[in-house]
mmCIF file of all heavy atoms in Angstrom:
data_model
loop_
_atom_site.group_PDB
_atom_site.id
_atom_site.type_symbol
_atom_site.label_atom_id
_atom_site.label_comp_id
_atom_site.label_asym_id
_atom_site.label_seq_id
_atom_site.Cartn_x
_atom_site.Cartn_y
_atom_site.Cartn_z
ATOM 1 N N PRO A 588 37.793 -3.154 6.117
ATOM 2 C CA PRO A 588 38.979 -3.023 6.890
ATOM 3 C C PRO A 588 39.298 -1.521 7.195
ATOM 4 O O PRO A 588 39.278 -0.698 6.346
ATOM 5 C CB PRO A 588 40.116 -3.542 5.966
ATOM 6 C CG PRO A 588 39.335 -4.242 4.834
ATOM 7 C CD PRO A 588 38.033 -3.702 4.753
ATOM 8 N N ARG A 589 39.538 -1.276 8.473
ATOM 9 C CA ARG A 589 39.672 0.134 8.905
ATOM 10 C C ARG A 589 40.808 0.813 8.209
ATOM 11 O O ARG A 589 40.785 1.965 7.843
ATOM 12 C CB ARG A 589 39.869 0.165 10.450
ATOM 13 C CG ARG A 589 39.999 1.610 10.987
ATOM 14 C CD ARG A 589 39.995 1.512 12.511
ATOM 15 N NE ARG A 589 38.670 1.175 13.045
ATOM 16 C CZ ARG A 589 37.794 2.167 13.329
ATOM 17 N NH1 ARG A 589 38.041 3.435 13.125
ATOM 18 N NH2 ARG A 589 36.614 1.870 13.828
ATOM 19 N N ASP A 590 41.976 0.065 8.053
ATOM 20 C CA ASP A 590 43.132 0.591 7.383
ATOM 21 C C ASP A 590 42.874 1.034 5.960
ATOM 22 O O ASP A 590 43.586 1.851 5.379
ATOM 23 C CB ASP A 590 44.283 -0.260 7.468
ATOM 24 C CG ASP A 590 44.037 -1.678 6.803
ATOM 25 O OD1 ASP A 590 42.914 -2.054 6.800
ATOM 26 O OD2 ASP A 590 44.959 -2.227 6.174
ATOM 27 N N LYS A 591 41.847 0.451 5.241
ATOM 28 C CA LYS A 591 41.613 0.827 3.848
ATOM 29 C C LYS A 591 40.615 1.905 3.745
ATOM 30 O O LYS A 591 40.579 2.561 2.658
ATOM 31 C CB LYS A 591 41.060 -0.459 3.142
ATOM 32 C CG LYS A 591 42.095 -1.474 2.898
ATOM 33 C CD LYS A 591 41.598 -2.627 2.067
ATOM 34 C CE LYS A 591 42.596 -3.666 1.788
ATOM 35 N NZ LYS A 591 42.114 -4.817 0.914
ATOM 36 N N VAL A 592 39.717 2.183 4.719
ATOM 37 C CA VAL A 592 38.675 3.145 4.523
ATOM 38 C C VAL A 592 38.822 4.378 5.443
ATOM 39 O O VAL A 592 38.089 5.370 5.219
ATOM 40 C CB VAL A 592 37.294 2.537 4.699
ATOM 41 C CG1 VAL A 592 37.084 1.360 3.864
ATOM 42 C CG2 VAL A 592 37.097 2.068 6.176
ATOM 43 N N ARG A 593 39.725 4.391 6.438
ATOM 44 C CA ARG A 593 39.738 5.482 7.425
ATOM 45 C C ARG A 593 40.003 6.808 6.642
ATOM 46 O O ARG A 593 40.987 6.887 5.863
ATOM 47 C CB ARG A 593 40.946 5.235 8.453
ATOM 48 C CG ARG A 593 40.951 6.273 9.507
ATOM 49 C CD ARG A 593 42.131 6.216 10.407
ATOM 50 N NE ARG A 593 42.095 5.003 11.232
ATOM 51 C CZ ARG A 593 42.966 4.025 11.139
ATOM 52 N NH1 ARG A 593 43.971 4.073 10.245
ATOM 53 N NH2 ARG A 593 42.871 2.937 11.916
ATOM 54 N N GLY A 594 39.089 7.813 6.956
ATOM 55 C CA GLY A 594 39.316 9.139 6.326
ATOM 56 C C GLY A 594 39.008 9.202 4.896
ATOM 57 O O GLY A 594 39.222 10.226 4.226
ATOM 58 N N LYS A 595 38.390 8.170 4.316
ATOM 59 C CA LYS A 595 38.203 8.140 2.852
ATOM 60 C C LYS A 595 36.731 8.178 2.496
ATOM 61 O O LYS A 595 35.818 8.011 3.284
ATOM 62 C CB LYS A 595 38.822 6.957 2.227
ATOM 63 C CG LYS A 595 40.354 6.910 2.477
ATOM 64 C CD LYS A 595 40.952 5.610 1.921
ATOM 65 C CE LYS A 595 42.566 5.662 2.259
ATOM 66 N NZ LYS A 595 43.140 4.386 1.860
ATOM 67 N N LEU A 596 36.448 8.471 1.166
ATOM 68 C CA LEU A 596 35.084 8.483 0.528
ATOM 69 C C LEU A 596 34.890 7.073 0.061
ATOM 70 O O LEU A 596 35.518 6.644 -0.946
ATOM 71 C CB LEU A 596 35.041 9.543 -0.550
ATOM 72 C CG LEU A 596 33.750 9.690 -1.336
ATOM 73 C CD1 LEU A 596 32.582 9.859 -0.405
ATOM 74 C CD2 LEU A 596 33.869 10.884 -2.222
ATOM 75 N N VAL A 597 33.914 6.301 0.648
ATOM 76 C CA VAL A 597 33.746 4.882 0.423
ATOM 77 C C VAL A 597 32.576 4.680 -0.439
ATOM 78 O O VAL A 597 31.461 5.197 -0.227
ATOM 79 C CB VAL A 597 33.617 4.073 1.705
ATOM 80 C CG1 VAL A 597 33.503 2.626 1.489
ATOM 81 C CG2 VAL A 597 34.712 4.431 2.702
ATOM 82 N N ILE A 598 32.745 3.832 -1.536
ATOM 83 C CA ILE A 598 31.605 3.442 -2.358
ATOM 84 C C ILE A 598 31.060 2.187 -1.850
ATOM 85 O O ILE A 598 31.726 1.193 -1.574
ATOM 86 C CB ILE A 598 32.079 3.240 -3.855
ATOM 87 C CG1 ILE A 598 32.610 4.522 -4.446
ATOM 88 C CG2 ILE A 598 30.899 2.744 -4.675
ATOM 89 C CD1 ILE A 598 33.207 4.314 -5.820
ATOM 90 N N CYS A 599 29.691 2.167 -1.687
ATOM 91 C CA CYS A 599 28.915 0.963 -1.222
ATOM 92 C C CYS A 599 27.870 0.662 -2.241
ATOM 93 O O CYS A 599 27.090 1.529 -2.638
ATOM 94 C CB CYS A 599 28.300 1.249 0.161
ATOM 95 S SG CYS A 599 29.434 1.631 1.524
#
Side-chain angles (χ1 to χ4, degrees):
R589 181 173 288 270
D590 60 326
K591 290 187 178 180
V592 302
R593 185 188 294 114
K595 297 177 182 176
L596 179 50
V597 182
I598 297 173
C599 299

